[in-house]
């Protein structure tokens, strides 16, 4: 009789809770006797950025809270590494599971690889080819050192091959962020966030902005002015990320316009209800490009590039460039869009986490249970 498997999941930011919740659930189901240890780095810590997601997504309370908080990239990464290493040494896991491309991801991968702990990377192979994006560095390191690379689109495999990563490490499983959307679809439909804000479904624009390239410099003021102008054509709903809020306050506050509705960050269900009802979404987020593609909602991405080209080729996404003046063209671009319905990309079907668990099962199942399961 072997010991039950021990798996550590490292999460720390809002999008990563969404990507990991279904993986933890699928792994717990297949390894009910295993030790599933959840480590929250604390990179995101406001209730609206963290706790509310654990509640809504049904993620168990973390076993370890590292409380690293905010800081420069080096400080945030180093603090996470320092606090994670003793946890890994104490827990002695067989595997570390980590999603995405944030600083918590980078830190976890560096700690685990130095301890020669196998790593499973969820959302592997995305590349913007823009090394000025902190996430691009984090993705490359995560993929280079992970044993199991779980991908959600074909271009991910091409990107990994181009970096010399062998096919044996790659697994096309689909999109775990879409798993969460599918699992909570009924609650999202019932939430009626547009009704609560008194905006008409299909008639408003929803905005999210948080990337340093856009919000940490002079482009933010131009962007907010562009949103105020857009709100004369259609109401604009803008839940503001804390980073963006801080920058707006430093620049002297936001633009005042009667139909520009600023709010605090929203919980998952309320936010997705707003996405599903939007006539258009304007964003610089990665995950929202995917969620709009799945839901068939027109998405305009205020960036020069995307690491998610599948959302342009097969989805609803259009790149506006890193150019706030392009916001003015949204009504015209919307009118020019074909109305034909789209199919979501292959394997964006709500079952990606199950596939991840199936890949990991032979390596980590209790041999006795694996025999029982196959007979
Ligand atoms: C991080 C990720 C980004 C991801 C985003 C999702 C990195 C390099 N960036 O960006 O890839 O798309 O999360 O939201 O890891 N803050 C709060 N409360 C919080 C969290 C942050 O007030 O709960 C404020 C702080 O002022 C902080 C700033 O937001 O300095 C930025 O937070 P940080 O975690 O450094 O990066 P994000 O911009 O959130």
């Amino acid at each position: 009789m072997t010991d039950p498997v021990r798996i550590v999941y490292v999460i720390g930011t809002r999008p990563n809770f969404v990507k990991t919740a279904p993986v933890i659930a699928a792994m717990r189901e297949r390894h009910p006797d295993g030790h599933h240890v959840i480590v929250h780095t604390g990179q995101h810590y406001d209730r609206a950025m963290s706790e509310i997601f654990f509640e809504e997504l049904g993620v168990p309370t973390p076993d370890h809270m590292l409380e690293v908080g905010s800081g420069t990239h080096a400080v945030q990464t180093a603090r996470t590494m320092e606090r994670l290493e003793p946890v890994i040494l104490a827990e002695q896991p067989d595997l570390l599971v980590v999603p995405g491309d944030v600083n918590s991801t980078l830190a976890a991968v560096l700690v685990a690889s130095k301890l020669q702990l196998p790593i499973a990377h969820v959302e592997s192979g995305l590349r913007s080819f823009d090394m000025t994006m902190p996430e691009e560095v984090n993705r490359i390191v995560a993929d280079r050192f992970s044993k199991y690379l779980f991908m959600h689109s074909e271009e991910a495999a091409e990107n990994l091959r181009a970096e010399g990563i062998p096919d044996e490490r790659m697994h096309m499983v689909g999109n775990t962020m879409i798993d969460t959307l599918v699992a909570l679809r009924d609650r999202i439909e019932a939430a009626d966030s547009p009704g609560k804000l008194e905006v008409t479904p299909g008639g408003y624009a929803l905005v999210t902005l948080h990337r340093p390239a856009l919000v940490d410099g002079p482009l933010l003021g131009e962007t907010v002015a562009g949103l105020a102008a857009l709100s004369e054509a259609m109401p604009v709903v803008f839940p503001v990320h804390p980073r963006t809020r801080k920058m707006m306050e430093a620049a002297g506050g936001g633009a005042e316009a009667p139909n520009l509705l600023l709010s605090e960050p929203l919980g998952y269900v309320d936010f997705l209800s707003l996405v599903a009802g939007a006539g258009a979404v304007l964003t610089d987020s990665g995950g929202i490009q995917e969620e709009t593609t799945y839901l068939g909602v027109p998405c305009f991405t205020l960036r020069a590039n995307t690491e998610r080209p599948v959302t342009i080729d097969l989805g609803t996404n259009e790149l506006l460039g890193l150019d706030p003046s392009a916001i003015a063209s949204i009504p015209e671009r919307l009118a020019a869009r074909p109305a034909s319905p789209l199919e979501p990309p292959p394997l964006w079907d709500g079952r990606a986490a199950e596939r991840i668990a199936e890949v990991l099962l032979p390596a980590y199942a209790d041999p006795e249970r694996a025999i029982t399961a196959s007979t």
Side-chain angles (χ1 to χ4, degrees):
M1 174 83 186
T2 49
D3 290 336
V5 65
R6 302 181 70 86
I7 301 176
V8 166
Y9 307 83
V10 179
I11 47 185
T13 64
R14 184 169 64 172
N16 287 354
F17 309 140
V18 181
K19 290 167 196 170
T20 313
V23 181
I24 296 172
M27 292 297 285
R28 280 162 62 102
E29 198 183 303
R30 282 171 181 68
H31 301 272
D33 305 328
H35 293 282
H36 300 270
V37 179
I38 300 173
V39 179
H40 187 336
T41 67
Q43 179 170 346
H44 285 174
Y45 44 86
D46 289 350
R47 181 175 153 72
M49 298 291 285
S50 171
E51 214 176 315
I52 196 164
F53 284 77
F54 278 75
E55 290 164 12
E56 288 188 321
L57 307 181
V59 180
T61 306
D63 301 275
H64 301 273
M65 300 285 285
L66 305 185
E67 296 183 347
V68 299
S70 303
T72 64
H73 289 272
V75 165
Q76 200 171 48
T77 308
R79 220 184 263 154
T80 310
M81 290 178 70
E82 274 186 355
R83 295 182 190 182
L84 180 60
E85 186 182 54
V87 170
I88 304 281
L89 290 172
E91 293 286 356
Q92 290 289 314
D94 303 299
L95 176 72
L96 179 132
V97 176
V98 70
D101 55 18
V102 300
N103 286 342
S104 298
T105 310
L106 172 68
V109 164
L110 290 175
V111 169
S113 53
K114 297 271 178 172
L115 294 173
Q116 298 178 21
L117 172 62
I119 302 164
H121 183 212
V122 178
E123 195 192 72
S124 181
L126 301 189
R127 296 291 182 270
S128 65
F129 304 100
D130 176 359
M131 284 295 194
T132 68
M133 282 182 80
E135 295 81 2
E136 186 74 353
V137 176
N138 299 347
R139 291 178 195 120
I140 290 171
V141 175
D143 288 334
R144 177 68 183 81
F145 291 110
S146 293
K147 178 170 180 178
Y148 299 95
L149 302 179
F150 293 118
M151 308 178 296
H152 72 41
S153 52
E154 282 300 333
E155 69 267 6
E158 287 162 32
N159 294 338
L160 294 171
R161 280 186 202 117
E163 290 175 19
I165 292 178
D167 280 33
E168 304 87 83
R169 284 164 55 197
M170 301 180 203
H171 305 274
M172 185 65 68
V173 292
N175 191 329
T176 63
M177 202 169 218
I178 301 302
D179 288 7
T180 296
L181 209 172
V182 170
L184 273 71
R185 190 85 197 240
D186 290 348
R187 277 168 62 194
I188 292 166
E189 275 167 17
D192 187 26
S193 300
K196 287 178 202 151
L197 290 176
E198 298 180 0
V199 286
T200 313
Y204 63 91
L206 176 67
V207 177
T208 79
L209 306 168
H210 74 284
R211 290 210 186 267
L214 192 67
V215 308
D216 284 8
L219 293 180
L220 180 60
E222 283 177 53
T223 304
V224 176
L227 297 178
L230 177 65
S231 74
E232 288 169 21
M234 61 201 302
V236 173
V237 180
F238 182 13
V240 187
H241 185 287
R243 174 183 206 113
T244 311
R245 170 80 64 187
K246 200 165 85 174
M247 294 299 165
M248 281 167 73
E249 282 166 5
E256 300 283 324
N259 284 327
L260 175 56
L261 312 171
L262 305 192
S263 79
E264 295 303 309
L266 299 172
Y268 179 79
V269 171
D270 281 341
F271 181 72
L272 264 294
S273 168
L274 278 178
V275 175
V281 170
L282 176 69
T283 191
D284 62 356
S285 150
I288 294 168
Q289 296 170 50
E290 297 176 357
E291 288 160 336
T292 45
T293 276
Y294 182 80
L295 292 167
V297 174
C299 180
F300 299 93
T301 298
L302 208 50
R303 285 175 44 187
N305 50 54
T306 178
E307 60 289 325
R308 292 157 161 96
V310 69
T311 61
I312 294 177
D313 299 340
L314 299 182
T316 58
N317 190 22
E318 194 175 328
L319 279 184
L320 292 185
L322 190 56
D323 175 13
S325 72
I327 295 171
S329 66
I330 287 177
E332 200 182 312
R333 288 172 191 264
L334 269 178
R337 287 229 175 184
S340 57
L342 292 158
E343 283 289 310
L347 304 186
W348 292 25
D349 59 358
R351 302 188 51 210
E354 279 176 36
R355 296 187 191 99
I356 289 174
E358 289 304 324
V359 170
L360 295 174
L361 193 62
Y364 295 102
D366 172 340
E368 288 181 12
R369 187 146 23 79
I371 291 162
T372 321
S374 62
T375 49

